[in-house]
Amino acid sequence: MTAHHFSPTMLHNSIGSHAPVLTIASGDTVTAETADAHGFDHRGIKIGDRPNPMTGPFFVAGAEPGDALLVTIHGIRMTRSTGWTFDVLSPNVVDPSAVHRFPARRQTQWLIDAQTGRARLAEPPAQLARWSVAVEPMIGCFGVAPDLGQAISTATSGRYGGNMDYRGFKAGVEVMFPVSVPGALFFLGDVHAQQADGEIVGTGIETAAEVTFSLRVLKDTKIGWPRGMNEHEIFTIGNARPLDQALQHATTEMHDWLMADYGLDAVAASHVMGQAVRYDVANVFNPAYSVACRVPKDALSGLR
C-alpha cells in the first residue's frame, strides 16, 4: 500500500462530485492538511472561505455505488498553536426566555499547547484565569459525495456524512460511509482541538490540522447512514432536524446493522438495543442535528 501526503491549494464549501485532487488505491494511507472552519491554514493564512472548507475530494479506485468506504483515522495533529470558539451558548440550546440574558456572540481566541496537551483562553474571564481543557482532536466535517449529482453545503450533514461535529470522530476510530458515486470522492476538514457534546456554542476549538487516514473499499456493503467502531463500541450516526428524526435514523441503522452482521432477527436485535444502547447528542447547532447510537462491544460478545 502507498502512503501519500497532500497539501491543498484550494478548498470546497460543498461536498459533491467535484474534480478529484488525488486518486488512490483501496488501502492507501493519506496525510492531508486541513484549514480551520473559516479557511485559515497552519500559517494563519486564509486559503478558503467559510463554512468549513474541505480538503479533497480523494478518488478511491474501485469504489462504486452499493459499496461502503471504510475510513480509519490514524492520527490528528494540530498544526497551529491557536484556535477559536464563540463565547456564549447558542440561542437554540437554552430556554427562549433566557436568550436575552446572553451578551452578543463574539469570536474568542484560544492558545493550544502541544507539549502539555492543554488549551486555554487567550484572554480569559477572571474566574477562568487558571482554567484549561485537554486537547482531544476530532474531525468535525468529513464524508463522501452524495447521489443525484448533489453538492451539499459543508454547513450541514446527511446520509453521506458531512458536518456532523461528533466528538467521537478521533484517532483510532473507523468510520463507514455509503458510496453513491464512482470513486466515493472523500472530503475532510473542520478539525477541532476540543469540543463538548452538542457543539452548543456553535463551534469546537477551531484550528488547522494534519490528519492521517486510510481508505478501504468494502465491496457490496450497502449501508444507509454512517457507521463507526472504536476499541469499545460500535455506533451509528443519524443526521436530521428535528432531533428525534436524527435519533430515529441512528437507531434504525443500528438495528439494521445488528440484524445484517450479528445474526439477530428483529426481536433479538431489539432486546440487545433495549438494554445496551447509549445515545450521544453529537450536535444541535447545524442545519441538520446529529445523534450517535452506541452499543458496547461486550454486549455483542458471542453473537457472531
Side-chain angles (χ1 to χ4, degrees):
M1 303 301 174
T2 303
H4 309 265
H5 191 283
F6 182 78
S7 300
T9 56
M10 65 168 293
L11 302 169
H12 291 285
N13 296 111
S14 63
I15 296 179
S17 293
H18 302 298
V21 296
L22 183 68
T23 296
I24 68 171
S26 177
D28 281 2
T29 298
V30 181
T31 298
E33 298 174 15
T34 67
D36 72 18
H38 284 177
F40 291 89
D41 69 5
H42 65 283
R43 303 161 296 179
I45 296 174
K46 187 174 177 63
I47 62 170
D49 295 313
R50 60 187 301 182
N52 304 324
M54 294 287 101
T55 299
F58 299 93
F59 184 102
V60 187
E64 296 289 341
D67 299 336
L69 184 70
L70 178 66
V71 181
T72 302
I73 306 170
H74 298 293
I76 306 173
R77 183 177 69 86
M78 305 290 94
T79 55
R80 211 172 66 206
S81 61
T82 60
W84 58 270
T85 64
F86 293 128
D87 63 345
V88 295
L89 294 174
S90 175
N92 68 300
V93 304
V94 299
D95 291 333
S97 61
V99 172
H100 75 280
R101 303 178 199 166
F102 292 89
R105 185 173 70 170
R106 298 180 306 168
Q107 187 171 310
T108 300
Q109 296 299 306
W110 289 70
L111 304 178
I112 301 169
D113 189 329
Q115 287 190 331
T116 64
R118 309 291 296 183
R120 59 185 176 86
L121 289 160
E123 297 181 2
Q127 306 97 315
L128 301 180
R130 298 182 180 179
W131 179 73
S132 65
V133 297
V135 173
E136 297 176 329
M138 51 157 284
I139 304 174
C141 187
F142 66 142
V144 295
D147 59 5
L148 303 176
Q150 299 175 90
I152 300 177
S153 170
T154 52
T156 193
S157 58
R159 293 181 182 273
Y160 60 92
N163 193 33
M164 297 173 285
D165 288 313
Y166 178 41
R167 69 192 311 268
F169 289 137
K170 56 189 179 181
V173 171
E174 295 181 316
V175 187
M176 288 181 281
F177 296 105
V179 174
S180 297
V181 302
L185 297 179
F186 175 73
F187 298 77
L188 82 162
D190 185 33
V191 168
H192 303 167
Q194 176 58 275
Q195 181 211 291
D197 287 341
E199 200 187 34
I200 58 176
V201 297
T203 69
I205 300 179
E206 310 283 343
T207 192
E210 187 176 77
V211 182
T212 300
F213 57 92
S214 58
L215 302 176
R216 184 159 63 91
V217 179
L218 305 179
K219 297 300 296 181
D220 301 318
T221 303
K222 193 168 181 61
I223 64 174
W225 291 87
R227 299 178 179 183
M229 296 159 282
N230 58 38
E231 182 180 359
H232 301 293
E233 59 196 3
I234 65 173
F235 61 89
T236 55
I237 305 290
N239 302 308
R241 191 185 286 205
L243 189 64
D244 57 352
Q245 187 177 358
L247 181 145
Q248 290 164 357
H249 293 324
T251 304
T252 303
E253 187 69 16
M254 180 61 74
H255 193 258
D256 290 347
W257 193 358
L258 294 183
M259 289 196 297
D261 287 8
Y262 290 86
L264 304 180
D265 63 16
V267 171
S270 297
H271 279 307
V272 171
M273 292 178 65
Q275 306 311 315
V277 156
R278 302 291 183 267
Y279 288 106
D280 290 333
V281 178
N283 100 78
V284 283
F285 178 76
N286 302 329
Y289 295 159
S290 299
V291 169
C293 176
R294 302 183 285 113
V295 172
K297 288 181 178 178
D298 59 13
L300 305 173
S301 60
L303 293 182
R304 285 201 282 192

